[in-house]
Amino acid sequence: FAALLLLIVSHSPQLYAADYRCRQESQPPAVFEGERLRVASLNIAHGRGDALNQLFVTRSGIEENLDRAADLLSEVGANILALQELDVDSAWSGNFHHADYLLQQSPYECMAVGIHASNWLYNFGTGLLSDMQMNDTQTVNFEPTPPTTNKGMTSGTLLWGNGKWVRPVLVVSVHLDFSRKSVREKQLDKIIEAIQSTEEALIIMGDFNEEWANEDSVIQALVNNAGMQAYEPESPKHASYKDKRLDWILISHQLEFTGHRVLPEQVSDHRLVVAEVRWREE
């Protein structure tokens, strides 16, 4: 993980500790014990649900949308959730901490949040919710990309054991620029170089704003150039934003998929992506 951070920092984005905390008086396990880890990713869209813009939604409306999301997350039972467009005390979305609200309304125990874009109107970024402890939680801000808002990623390390051994898994929630492929390529270049420098098992989840079939697809680059795996990448069955597959769960070679689905329920303009993974047999 240190090599990952050093490589990212060497390319000049900002790196800092994520806002990490667990529920008061909770005692989340330090190690996940199980054959399969269930993971999920959701662009929560600033809590606006299916509204055109969060500015047109009251605080109570934002809370209702987050309640619906929390109910869905409780049903799914993912051990760790990656979130994007996650707001913290933003004037345009109710002036409250959306990750903390979800933590209180869902079964999750701990959260790590990183702010990538901030001004008088908004503070938002990416985050992770987990039912176990996370270690070395960090946030990376990609270089500014005006006129679009800044993007970045938040990461944490989980410990996964089976009674005989305990292994670390680095989990990343990422959000890439939506408007320009050239910007996404620069953001992905840093991630690819960093992946190639670490031997830790890795799960990268988030809104990549990119489809597999796009010319010079950044998802293809992660799979072909960085050794990550995507579930049925050419299948048309996994659309997560309207009829497009923009939200992905990618895993490194130490792991393998045992299941994958995109839920039909609409709790934002993106759909929840869920996968189960296990250690690949050696």
Side-chain angles (χ1 to χ4, degrees):
F1 187 40
L4 172 71
L5 295 181
L6 286 172
L7 240 172
I8 293 173
V9 171
S10 71
H11 287 76
S12 300
Q14 296 178 340
L15 167 74
Y16 55 96
D19 174 14
Y20 174 71
R21 60 181 182 271
C22 299
R23 286 201 234 184
Q24 286 187 342
E25 301 180 359
S26 68
Q27 294 182 324
V31 178
F32 171 75
E33 298 281 354
E35 181 182 353
R36 292 177 174 85
L37 181 73
R38 184 172 296 173
V39 299
S41 182
L42 175 66
N43 182 322
I44 197 69
H46 312 287
R48 66 174 176 261
D50 59 2
L52 181 63
N53 189 287
Q54 54 275 8
L55 282 166
F56 305 138
V57 185
T58 63
R59 171 165 177 159
S60 62
I62 298 282
E63 290 178 348
E64 289 176 6
N65 291 332
L66 295 180
D67 286 340
R68 289 170 50 236
D71 289 343
L72 181 61
L73 297 172
S74 299
E75 293 175 14
V76 168
N79 302 108
I80 188 161
L81 168 71
L83 292 166
Q84 304 84 46
E85 293 192 351
L86 181 63
D87 280 32
V88 174
D89 302 325
S90 294
W92 71 0
S93 60
N95 277 311
F96 67 103
H97 198 303
H98 291 191
D100 187 61
Y101 188 89
L102 286 171
L103 193 71
Q104 302 306 318
Q105 301 301 116
S106 69
Y108 292 106
E109 298 285 348
C110 302
M111 68 176 181
V113 178
I115 301 300
H116 310 310
S118 181
N119 64 20
W120 65 271
L121 184 61
Y122 55 70
N123 297 283
F124 70 90
T126 56
L128 296 165
L129 299 183
S130 173
D131 61 11
M132 71 203 83
Q133 294 179 32
M134 292 181 276
N135 305 299
D136 301 322
T137 54
Q138 302 281 352
T139 289
V140 171
N141 284 345
F142 296 131
E143 294 175 2
T145 57
T148 54
T149 53
N150 291 8
K151 298 294 187 288
M153 58 186 180
T154 299
S155 64
T157 299
L158 307 178
L159 298 179
W160 185 350
N162 70 349
K164 299 178 181 178
W165 45 254
V166 175
R167 297 171 180 168
V169 180
L170 179 62
V171 182
V172 181
S173 174
V174 64
H175 193 187
L176 301 186
D177 188 80
F178 74 93
S179 65
R180 288 161 291 172
K181 176 177 286 293
S182 61
V183 171
R184 291 194 294 274
E185 288 173 343
K186 290 180 181 178
Q187 293 168 345
L188 259 294
D189 281 346
K190 296 176 176 60
I191 298 174
I192 288 175
E193 292 177 23
I195 291 170
Q196 291 173 339
S197 73
T198 182
E199 295 182 357
E200 283 191 7
L202 181 62
I203 302 173
I204 302 178
M205 303 183 281
D207 180 0
F208 291 83
N209 278 303
E210 189 83 71
E211 293 191 277
W212 177 265
N214 288 6
E215 184 178 358
D216 299 322
S217 167
V218 295
I219 300 299
Q220 287 196 38
L222 274 171
V223 171
N224 297 331
N225 301 337
M228 301 298 289
Q229 306 169 70
Y231 185 86
E232 297 181 349
E234 299 182 26
S235 172
K237 298 186 298 183
H238 307 294
S240 61
Y241 176 79
K242 299 179 180 179
D243 61 348
K244 298 179 179 181
R245 187 178 184 180
L246 303 183
D247 304 84
W248 296 80
I249 295 175
L250 305 175
I251 59 177
S252 59
H253 66 89
Q254 300 97 325
L255 305 170
E256 62 182 2
F257 287 102
T258 60
H260 182 284
R261 56 191 171 127
V262 178
L263 275 65
E265 291 86 352
Q266 291 282 167
V267 294
S268 81
D269 55 355
H270 289 246
R271 288 182 282 277
L272 180 69
V273 182
V274 184
E276 288 190 354
V277 301
R278 67 183 177 191
W279 291 97
R280 188 177 296 276
E281 294 184 6
E282 300 177 351

